[in-house]
Structures are given as structure tokens and as C-alpha cells.
Amino acid sequence: MRLKDRVAIITGGSRGIGRAGAIALAREGAKVVIASRGKDKADEAVNLIKANGGEAIFIQADIGNPEQVQSMVRRTLEQYKKVDILVNNAGITDDAFFEKMSRRQWERVVNVNLNGTFYCTREVVPHMIENRYGRIINTSSVSGKKGAIAQSNYAATKAAIIGLTLSLAQELGPKGITVNAVSPGFIHTDMTVRIPEKIRLKALGKIPVGKFGLPEDIANTYVFLAGDEGSYYNGAVLDIDGGISV
């Protein structure tokens, strides 16, 4: 129970990496708020956590909408009185080759992945500062370091998240708040299933360990960074990619 009595918000917590993260945080004793646009999958995750003796609630929110983020954090504080951990996990793709990428595609991905991370972090930081304690974990991607064909919008947001993480680590570290990022590679999720098989097989051939990761691989790192064992990590960007970025 490494996170006993801690309150954690995880965005995009209804499926994939976020769902695994929510379950892992709850298993370690955290009271988990799953923030998601979709209700059905989020309710399933909440019910699973409760069935295993954990505590979780679902708050519907589009993190690209600052008013909804404000409401989500306000409701969390009403329920639990504090926010100890924020996992900025939610993210989307809207792929196209750059010359064919529309302004809508660019702005949609930037608004969710980057602006959403900003909105959520901005709302919780004042409360963390007041309590002199906080763990903020941002989710970047191997694409943020290496780039990706037909994902210039996605890669740009993930690179920006690394810059945001490094800056906030310096600003907030003296106030009792650590800020770190994880950088997943190819993980078995709905997002990677949509990648054409030819590209997936090509990527698999470049991974030294010879396999894609599991959502639990990222979830376990969320737990580590959120707990006391990761307390001296600040401004770290942890590659969880089987060695593909080496």
C-alpha cells in the first residue's frame, strides 16, 4: 500500500495505459479519480477497482476544455479535499502526412495532448503548493524524441511535454512537488492496434527486446514515480520502450 490515503487524478483513465494506471494506483492504496470523456469504459474501470477493494470515482471531462478541467478538479477537492498525484495520461492521434494535414487535425491533437496537460497541471498546482506536496507525471512518447512519419502533430506535442516537464521540475521542486515524464514506446493499446500491420512489424524489428510493451509496464512506472521510492526523481524522462530509442 505504497500510496495509502493519497489522492490521484489520472486523465484518460478509462482504457489502455490509463486504465492500467488507475488500477495500479488504486491497488497501492490511492483514491483514484478517473477523468475521461467516455463514461461506459470509465465506469467499468471504477467497478473493477472497487471489486478488488480499491476506491475510485469517475468524473467526465474533456481535458481540452479548461472549464471542464476546472470542474473536474473542483469536484475532486469536494470529494477528497486534496490532490496529491496528477497523471497526465490522456492523449490522441490524428495522423496525416504533413502536406495533407489540416489545421483541424493539428489543433485537435495540440489541444488535447499539450493544452490538456497544461490545463490539468495549472488547476492542481496551487493546491499542491499549499500542501507542500505533489507528484506530477506527464506522458510523452518515443515519438517526442525521434519523431514519427505522418505524426508531426502528435510528435510535436510529445516533445513539448518533455520541455514542459523539465521547466516545471525546476519551478516546482523547491515547493515540494516533483515533475517527471514517461516516454512509452510501442505499447499494446487501441492506439497501436490502429497502426498498419506493415509499420508495426517494421517497428517490432527495431525493438531490442523483441516485443511490444504492455500497459502495465507504464502503469508500474506511474506508481513508482508517485510513491516515496521515486521521491528523488525530478525532471526525469523515463524511456519505457524496450530499447528502441537507444
Side-chain angles (χ1 to χ4, degrees), residues 10-23 34-46 48-49 58 87 89-92 139 187-194 214-216 218-219 222:
I10 182 164
T11 65
S14 64
R15 61 179 64 218
I17 293 172
R19 181 178 183 274
I23 292 169
I34 294 176
S36 174
R37 287 182 299 180
K39 186 177 188 300
D40 292 343
K41 292 291 185 181
D43 283 341
E44 287 179 14
V46 167
L48 180 60
I49 288 169
F58 162 58
V87 182
N89 168 81
I92 63 170
T139 306
I187 308 296
H188 280 293
T189 64
D190 293 345
M191 188 179 293
T192 54
V193 165
R194 293 196 297 268
L214 299 174
E216 289 74 17
I218 313 303
Y222 288 162

Side-chain angles (χ1 to χ4, degrees), residues 54-234:
E55 183 170 350
I57 63 171
F58 162 58
I59 298 178
Q60 194 163 26
D62 177 355
I63 65 163
N65 183 314
E67 287 76 24
Q68 291 188 30
V69 172
Q70 288 176 347
S71 176
M72 179 262 292
V73 174
R74 183 177 66 251
R75 290 174 61 189
T76 300
L77 292 170
E78 289 171 353
Q79 178 82 14
Y80 293 121
K81 312 305 179 189
K82 63 176 182 173
V83 178
D84 299 303
I85 301 158
L86 170 66
V87 182
N88 286 308
N89 168 81
I92 63 170
T93 58
D94 196 344
D95 298 349
F97 288 106
F98 187 74
E99 69 271 20
K100 296 181 179 179
M101 183 172 290
S102 67
R103 178 177 172 180
R104 185 200 65 81
Q105 286 176 296
W106 177 269
E107 292 180 346
R108 177 170 176 258
V109 173
V110 168
N111 192 50
V112 172
N113 295 5
L114 182 57
N115 292 349
T117 297
F118 167 71
Y119 297 146
C120 292
T121 305
R122 181 181 61 177
E123 288 302 314
V124 303
V125 160
H127 307 286
M128 290 180 172
I129 291 175
E130 183 178 352
N131 292 330
R132 297 291 300 178
Y133 182 90
R135 298 283 188 266
I136 297 172
I137 304 164
N138 297 323
T139 306
S140 180
S141 167
V142 65
S143 299
K145 294 184 174 183
K146 296 172 65 70
I149 294 172
Q151 285 194 327
S152 58
N153 49 2
Y154 180 78
T157 63
K158 295 304 184 178
I161 284 171
I162 292 174
L164 177 65
T165 299
L166 299 178
S167 298
L168 292 182
Q170 296 177 62
E171 288 188 32
L172 300 177
K175 300 174 182 179
I177 303 165
T178 62
V179 187
N180 295 290
V182 298
S183 182
F186 286 88
I187 308 296
H188 280 293
T189 64
D190 293 345
M191 188 179 293
T192 54
V193 165
R194 293 196 297 268
I195 298 173
E197 184 178 7
K198 182 178 179 180
I199 296 175
R200 281 192 287 118
L201 291 174
K202 184 177 180 180
L204 186 62
K206 295 180 179 179
I207 302 173
V209 300
K211 63 178 182 179
F212 285 1
L214 299 174
E216 289 74 17
D217 295 320
I218 313 303
N220 292 334
T221 308
Y222 288 162
V223 169
F224 171 75
L225 291 172
D228 290 341
E229 294 151 314
S231 63
Y232 201 58
Y233 283 73
N234 188 38

